[in-house]
Amino acid sequence: MSGIAMILKSRGYIVTGSDRSENEMVRALEKAGIPVAIGQKASNITSDIDTVVYTAAIHDDNEELIAARAVCPRVIERSVMLGELLNESRIPIAVAGTHGKTSTSSILACILMAAGKDPSFSIGGVLASTNTNYRVGKGDHMLIEACEYHDSFLDFHPVINIITNIEPEHLDYFKTFENELASFDKYVSTMRPGGVLITSPQLKEHFKTVTDHIFTVSVDGPSDIYAIDIVRHETGLGSSFHVVYQGQDLGQVDLYVPGRHLIYDCLCAIMAAIYDGIPFEAIQQGVAGYKATKKRFEYLGSWHGTAIVDDYAHHPSEIKATLKAAREIPMKDLWVAFQPHTYSRTINFFDDFVDALSMADHIVLADIYAAREVDTGVVSSKMLADALRERGKDAYYFPTFDEIKNFLEKNISPKDLLITMGAGTIVDVAHSMLSEK
């Protein structure tokens, strides 16, 4: 939403907004001249507003949305507005998938900028090189993330379409994985004529009845593009590897973020760039210039010798990938302070969360971040902690961030690695620790 707001502001529109609470992005919007009301109230809506844009996470009983529908001539979902911005571009690019959208789109944005394409983009994380989650360029390229929740991505019609992967997710909306797959089928069928799909070899088999213009990506091959000679950096984060495209070794790229899953995301971005005709030298420059997107294995600082990282992982597969990447870093013990995101996701993947979190040495659980949902009492973070302890893991639950902070400060040691993890506000614990060190 903030990226869309900034793009519209740059085009001369008067933009205002609201949010449930004050946060870093709200402050950035206000600094850019976009007033943001705290609290979603009917009084925020005035008769001079032409268009109201809302996210799929806003329910029909939201009083501000009710007021907007009663007063404003045009009330649309975020995906409709983003689709309009995307469809205005000559080369629309969308990155979809259950995991890896932000990393893939961020790396591709860096490549496009390194190639001098002057792209526009609206992505899900703050890119280190621009310190924003959006960019307004004058070139032909518009790059976005395509979220499947509430079928939002059906409003997008890209000519270059990346689908990183598909796993059961957002079952509060889709109900079944089969319904989710059917939505992805519809999405792929809406690509512009002549559009290309970039995905895994496994998903190619699923989509080959929908489109015949597919490039495949994997870390090891066989696929249209893959990596060889992967070497983990001995100092710093990340790895170097050679890119093989349709049997030809194009050369080495240097990626300065850790994790095998990031190599896959990087290859997806490289495949899109190759298809777009970008020289490999610009691809090398763009990849080397990519630094971890905000909240994607983002190094925050050191607390008395303990490195602290923040990560957005909130699905079991994402947690496993992040913790596997973390194990590439020399450390004493691996600590995770995890805030589950939504009750439905926690109950649907309860055992998977236990499996994923078990990869850490010590796990501290915060209360579930409700987001768009209401607590029915069916699942809790305490239940997760109990299940982890039954597995023999060192796991704890605390109902407040202050208790989590105090516990961590008493128990973590120099050379440990602490990851605050989740799509909610658990990073506040890290910020509080680092502000007082």
Side-chain angles (χ1 to χ4, degrees), residues 11 36 41 76 123 166 196 204 223 226 246 275 281 286 294 296 339 344 418 424:
R11 295 185 177 186
V36 181
K41 307 180 185 71
I76 57 175
I123 59 179
I166 307 176
V196 62
K204 177 182 180 179
S223 57
Y226 59 93
Q246 295 188 337
Y275 176 79
E281 292 78 10
K294 194 174 182 64
R296 272 69 177 181
Q339 182 182 35
S344 60
L418 167 63

Side-chain angles (χ1 to χ4, degrees), residues 155-232:
D155 290 307
F156 309 146
H157 310 290
V159 70
I160 300 177
N161 186 5
I162 300 173
I163 298 180
T164 56
N165 46 61
I166 307 176
E167 289 190 26
E169 173 66 311
H170 299 303
L171 296 183
D172 56 319
Y173 173 72
F174 289 115
K175 308 304 180 188
T176 68
F177 185 46
E178 290 70 26
N179 290 341
E180 184 180 349
L181 283 171
S183 288
F184 272 92
D185 288 345
K186 293 178 185 176
Y187 168 59
V188 171
S189 70
T190 66
M191 286 193 303
R192 286 191 189 180
V196 62
L197 172 62
I198 297 168
T199 192
S200 68
Q202 296 77 17
L203 286 177
K204 177 182 180 179
E205 296 306 308
H206 177 77
F207 287 120
K208 65 182 180 182
T209 59
V210 184
T211 180
D212 57 1
H213 203 176
I214 304 177
F215 287 99
T216 57
V217 180
S218 66
V219 175
D220 298 320
S223 57
D224 291 306
I225 191 168
Y226 59 93
I228 60 171
D229 300 334
I230 300 173
V231 178
R232 188 184 304 167

Side-chain angles (χ1 to χ4, degrees), residues 136-151:
V136 181
K138 297 180 180 179
D140 292 331
H141 297 75
M142 175 73 183
L143 169 64
I144 66 163
E145 291 184 34
C147 180
E148 71 273 20
Y149 186 59
H150 269 250
D151 287 327

Side-chain angles (χ1 to χ4, degrees), residues 107-121:
I107 295 170
L108 183 52
C110 288
I111 293 172
L112 291 170
M113 288 188 290
K117 297 296 184 180
D118 196 14
S120 299
F121 60 74

Side-chain angles (χ1 to χ4, degrees), residues 362-435:
H362 313 278
I363 308 100
V364 181
L365 278 300
D367 275 328
I368 295 171
Y369 188 82
R372 54 189 173 265
E373 297 182 349
V374 176
D375 185 5
T376 61
V378 174
V379 69
S380 69
S381 291
K382 184 179 182 303
M383 292 168 62
L384 275 176
D386 291 343
L388 284 161
R389 282 194 293 271
E390 289 175 7
R391 292 274 191 98
K393 300 302 298 183
D394 188 41
Y396 307 86
Y397 158 71
F398 297 102
T400 69
F401 282 1
D402 281 342
E403 290 172 279
I404 292 173
K405 171 179 171 289
N406 292 336
F407 175 81
L408 290 171
E409 289 178 344
K410 291 177 182 177
N411 289 278
I412 57 177
S413 302
K415 298 186 179 180
D416 286 350
L417 173 63
L418 167 63
I419 304 178
T420 54
M421 184 179 290
T425 56
I426 188 66
V427 68
D428 290 347
V429 172
H431 289 318
S432 180
M433 291 173 64
L434 292 169
S435 68

Side-chain angles (χ1 to χ4, degrees), residues 76-95:
I76 57 175
E77 277 200 11
R78 165 189 175 275
S79 61
V80 176
M81 177 59 74
L82 190 55
E84 291 178 2
L85 295 174
L86 181 70
N87 296 333
E88 289 175 0
S89 65
R90 194 176 73 82
I91 306 177
I93 308 172
V95 181

Side-chain angles (χ1 to χ4, degrees), residues 250-423:
L250 300 182
Q252 178 177 303
V253 296
D254 302 307
L255 179 65
Y256 295 102
V257 289
R260 184 180 177 85
H261 63 297
L262 266 300
I263 295 176
Y264 174 77
D265 295 344
C266 181
L267 288 167
C268 287
I270 291 172
M271 184 66 252
I274 290 172
Y275 176 79
D276 194 48
I278 292 176
F280 191 69
E281 292 78 10
I283 292 173
Q284 291 172 307
Q285 182 182 345
V287 172
Y290 170 70
K291 301 296 185 290
T293 311
K294 194 174 182 64
K295 292 193 69 66
R296 272 69 177 181
F297 215 91
E298 179 190 8
Y299 176 73
L300 300 180
S302 176
W303 187 86
H304 300 291
T306 297
I308 302 180
V309 167
D310 184 51
D311 196 273
Y312 190 69
H314 56 285
H315 184 283
S317 294
E318 296 168 349
I319 294 170
K320 286 182 177 180
T322 297
L323 296 186
K324 189 175 180 180
R327 290 297 186 186
E328 296 180 7
I329 302 170
M331 74 182 79
K332 183 171 173 252
D333 281 356
L334 177 57
W335 289 78
V336 171
F338 179 60
Q339 182 182 35
H341 188 263
T342 73
Y343 302 101
S344 60
R345 183 181 288 112
T346 306
I347 193 65
N348 284 327
F349 304 114
F350 188 90
D351 292 338
D352 297 318
F353 276 117
V354 174
D355 287 341
L357 292 167
S358 293
M359 295 173 65
D361 298 310
H362 313 278
I363 308 100
V364 181
L365 278 300
D367 275 328
I368 295 171
Y369 188 82
R372 54 189 173 265
E373 297 182 349
V374 176
D375 185 5
T376 61
V378 174
V379 69
S380 69
S381 291
K382 184 179 182 303
M383 292 168 62
L384 275 176
D386 291 343
L388 284 161
R389 282 194 293 271
E390 289 175 7
R391 292 274 191 98
K393 300 302 298 183
D394 188 41
Y396 307 86
Y397 158 71
F398 297 102
T400 69
F401 282 1
D402 281 342
E403 290 172 279
I404 292 173
K405 171 179 171 289
N406 292 336
F407 175 81
L408 290 171
E409 289 178 344
K410 291 177 182 177
N411 289 278
I412 57 177
S413 302
K415 298 186 179 180
D416 286 350
L417 173 63
L418 167 63
I419 304 178
T420 54
M421 184 179 290

